[in-house]
Amino acid sequence: MNNKKYSVTVAGGGSTFTPGIVLMLLENMDRFPIRSIKFYDNDAKRQETVAKACEIYLKENAPEIEFAYTTDPETAFTDIDFVLAHIRVGKYAMREKDEKIPLKYGVLGQETCGPGGIAYGMRSIGGVIEILDYMEQYSPDAWMLNYSNPAAIVAEATRRLRPDSKILNICDMPIDLEEKMAHMCGLKSRKEMQVGYYGLNHFGWWHKIHDKDGNDLMPQIKEHVAVNGFADALSDTNQHVDASWRETFTKVKDVYAVDPSTIPNTYLKYYLYPDYVVEHSNKEYTRANEVIDGREKHVFGICNDIIEKGTSKGVEGFEADAHATYIVDLACALAENTNERFLLIVENEGAIENFDRTAMVEIPCIVGRNGYEKICQGAIPQFQKGLMEQQVSVEKLTVEAWIEGNYNKLWQAITLSKTVPSARVAKLILDDLIEANKEYWPELH
Ligand SMILES: NC(=O)c1ccc[n+]([C@@H]2O[C@H](COP(=O)([O-])OP(=O)(O)OC[C@H]3O[C@@H](n4cnc5c(N)ncnc54)[C@H](O)[C@@H]3O)[C@@H](O)[C@H]2O)c1
Ligand SMILES: O=P(O)(O)OC[C@H]1O[C@H](O[C@H]2[C@H](O)[C@@H](O)[C@@H](O)O[C@@H]2CO)[C@H](O)[C@@H](O)[C@@H]1O
Ligand SMILES: [Mn+2]
């Protein structure tokens, strides 16, 4: 280990995930020493609540770390080694619209899937590119670890618009699910497994899982998933106690049944059972409402409590986000050349042999000081290839629509989504989304 101490900027300082990430960083100081943490957000008021609480917590628990929060890009991005980016352009107010507008027309409403995910992508591209540009302007050697959603569309946009930038796009859903699979096999951690995985972000499959001695764990995991999905494999650190997440973890058994040769990502539910999802949705109260009434109230409640009391001592509820340790793992891999394996969202270039070379795919990679090397996944089956070809076209058309301001390409993107029944319905949804997103989308012609 070199003796360097790192300087980190959290972009989206006002995120509900920020306190969990800060505590997780503090827990990992032995392997990832930190000299400075800065928060950056474009909503000063939202960020201030999270920042003031974290400032108190840091003073009481790690006074040696310099801390600052700002809305000024130069202050935020100067003299840093890493940007941890988790912005939500349009915040929960727009997530709610993403979810409720499609439902008006009988189409599922989801944060990152279907028309809602496309709408969110059209807002996120500009925000993420702006942060990447600030980082490159003020700290050209820094790396951005991006988990701002919708990661598939954001990754395609950065491939098209900033192909040489130092950004790694990553998602924590496979990490959460691997933790559950490790539990199914009686292992302590997902790190005791080695996996083969292919797909797009929120659209992938495990096709190989071995333990450290090379034993095949797939039969044991399949036996469990066939009956229970991921439902009863919740780990102690699992945050998803909300009913909607439990339902999603259970539904995996039906997703698995369609192709029992692989283990699916939970998000495939939205593409393979969209009718079921719509039937089980409440048009008036979607996941955005659940999050506003749940996670957001919880996190901001704790922050306000700490600020009022002037101390974090005796205030319960601030918890390190255990699943987010992959962020430290990833930063360490880059900084310390650990050559650890991660599922990253990267340009295919033949890693999935029979799939578009330019697609941004989610596959295992080895990460070290000079970035990543992809691990070839070979040829994929016709079923997955067909689904992925349709979905990657949705993602590419969305990015093209954003770059060109092209109405028809966005209409095509929504029409192509497996969650949408026809071009007619796609147009109705699109026209409502345009109205709702005036403040955020480029003008479409
Ligand atoms: N990749 C993953 O697996 C994964 C996992 C969890 C969350 N996420 C993503 O993390 C993000 C945060 O989620 P959340 O629920 O905490 O949302 P949130 O709304 O609580 O936080 C997002 C913050 O981003 C800020 N923001 C918006 N646009 C910005 C911009 N242009 N520049 C700077 N800041 C900006 C907002 O003001 C807000 O404070 C979302 O994109 C979410 O989808 C990703
Ligand atoms: O509906 P939300 O906002 O609760 O969750 C949407 C996100 O879900 C996944 O992330 C989970 C993650 O899998 C889990 O380990 C833990 O960290 O919580 C996250 C948020 O609930 C998904 O990967 C994200 O992309 C979604 O934004
Ligand atoms: Mn994700």
Side-chain angles (χ1 to χ4, degrees):
M1 187 168 127
N2 67 49
N3 289 323
K4 190 170 171 180
K5 289 190 172 186
Y6 298 99
S7 170
V8 169
T9 289
V10 177
S15 159
T16 54
F17 292 102
T18 296
I21 302 268
V22 168
L23 265 68
M24 179 274 298
L25 289 174
L26 294 193
E27 276 190 6
N28 287 276
M29 288 274 280
D30 53 336
R31 61 186 182 121
F32 187 63
I34 291 180
R35 66 181 162 88
S36 156
I37 297 178
K38 291 189 264 190
F39 290 178
Y40 169 76
D41 204 292
N42 64 358
D43 179 338
K45 194 161 172 283
R46 183 178 177 90
Q47 171 164 262
E48 188 173 62
T49 306
V50 177
K52 282 192 163 164
C54 288
E55 188 170 41
I56 293 169
Y57 188 92
L58 281 163
K59 265 203 191 113
E60 290 175 340
N61 294 282
E64 72 280 15
I65 296 178
E66 267 178 53
F67 177 73
Y69 59 98
T70 180
T71 55
D72 172 49
E74 185 172 356
T75 311
F77 296 97
T78 299
D79 183 31
I80 55 166
D81 302 299
F82 291 97
V83 176
L84 311 183
H86 56 195
I87 63 167
R88 184 186 292 284
V89 179
K91 293 172 275 193
Y92 295 131
M94 290 309 297
R95 176 174 179 177
E96 189 179 356
K97 292 189 182 173
D98 293 344
E99 292 170 353
K100 288 186 178 171
I101 289 171
L103 276 173
K104 260 173 63 183
Y105 301 100
V107 170
L108 63 81
Q110 216 282 325
E111 180 198 25
T112 62
C113 306
I118 293 169
Y120 186 14
M122 289 289 286
R123 293 196 301 278
S124 289
I125 294 171
V128 172
I129 295 281
E130 184 180 68
I131 288 170
L132 198 49
D133 288 348
Y134 289 146
M135 179 186 91
E136 288 183 348
Q137 182 181 352
Y138 298 115
S139 290
D141 294 330
W143 276 94
M144 176 162 161
L145 311 185
N146 180 57
Y147 35 103
S148 312
N149 267 320
I153 292 172
V154 166
E156 168 65 7
T158 55
R159 183 191 76 83
R160 286 287 306 273
L161 299 166
R162 299 293 183 272
D164 300 323
S165 50
K166 292 170 86 175
I167 178 171
L168 295 184
N169 290 293
I170 189 159
C171 167
D172 65 1
M173 193 77 252
I175 286 162
D176 181 63
L177 300 177
E178 284 176 17
E179 209 60 65
K180 289 179 171 57
M181 290 191 266
H183 277 240
M184 288 174 200
C185 300
L187 303 176
K188 280 202 193 75
S189 146
R190 68 186 162 84
K191 293 198 177 180
E192 293 173 37
M193 303 189 316
Q194 182 149 305
V195 310
Y197 184 95
Y198 57 77
L200 311 169
N201 178 239
H202 289 184
F203 204 99
W205 296 262
W206 283 269
H207 62 103
K208 273 192 296 200
I209 305 181
H210 291 112
D211 69 12
K212 277 186 172 162
D213 300 320
N215 298 310
D216 185 3
L217 299 175
M218 284 291 263
Q220 206 177 333
I221 295 169
K222 284 180 179 178
E223 210 176 300
H224 184 112
V225 170
V227 180
N228 302 302
F230 289 112
D232 61 348
L234 305 183
S235 62
D236 295 344
T237 48
N238 198 282
Q239 304 172 325
H240 300 317
V241 283
D242 285 348
S244 57
W245 270 106
R246 286 190 183 277
E247 190 282 322
T248 294
F249 291 134
T250 305
K251 191 67 187 168
V252 168
K253 66 176 185 222
D254 295 337
V255 180
Y256 167 75
V258 183
D259 176 27
S261 69
T262 54
I263 305 287
N265 191 301
T266 41
Y267 278 93
L268 287 157
K269 160 181 116 164
Y270 298 105
Y271 301 94
L272 300 187
Y273 294 97
D275 48 351
Y276 164 90
V277 173
V278 173
E279 275 162 34
H280 289 78
S281 298
N282 179 347
K283 286 184 195 152
E284 312 298 330
Y285 194 85
T286 58
R287 176 66 188 154
N289 301 111
E290 244 179 20
V291 173
I292 292 165
D293 293 340
R295 186 171 69 237
E296 189 184 39
K297 271 212 170 73
H298 177 71
V299 171
F300 280 78
I302 297 164
C303 289
N304 283 321
D305 217 12
I306 292 176
I307 296 165
E308 253 172 50
K309 293 196 168 85
T311 177
S312 66
K313 309 259 186 251
V315 180
E316 297 288 312
F318 254 21
E319 270 168 36
D321 182 348
H323 288 119
T325 51
Y326 73 94
I327 293 168
V328 169
D329 295 339
L330 194 54
C332 279
L334 292 164
E336 313 275 349
N337 205 27
T338 63
N339 289 313
E340 205 180 321
R341 278 169 80 123
F342 298 86
L343 294 188
L344 296 181
I345 306 159
V346 294
E347 188 165 5
N348 183 27
E349 293 177 310
I352 300 174
E353 186 188 311
N354 52 345
F355 194 60
D356 185 343
R357 289 183 66 81
T358 69
M360 291 302 280
V361 294
E362 198 163 75
I363 51 168
C365 297
I366 296 170
V367 181
R369 178 156 299 135
N370 297 310
Y372 57 84
E373 285 179 56
K374 299 163 208 177
I375 301 174
C376 184
Q377 298 300 297
I380 59 174
Q382 197 65 46
F383 176 62
Q384 280 82 359
K385 183 170 178 282
L387 287 166
M388 282 167 61
E389 275 167 355
Q390 183 176 20
Q391 179 60 19
V392 84
S393 302
V394 171
E395 291 158 8
K396 282 181 176 289
L397 281 165
T398 304
V399 172
E400 284 176 21
W402 188 91
I403 294 171
E404 299 165 18
N406 188 321
Y407 178 96
N408 270 76
K409 285 197 173 171
L410 201 58
W411 184 13
Q412 290 166 6
I414 298 177
T415 303
L416 253 185
S417 173
K418 200 167 157 29
T419 62
V420 175
S422 73
R424 184 187 70 83
V425 174
K427 191 170 192 323
L428 291 170
I429 296 173
L430 173 58
D431 290 342
D432 272 19
L433 287 172
I434 290 175
E435 191 57 33
N437 281 280
K438 270 189 187 145
E439 211 188 303
Y440 300 100
W441 288 9
E443 210 172 309
L444 301 177
H445 308 281

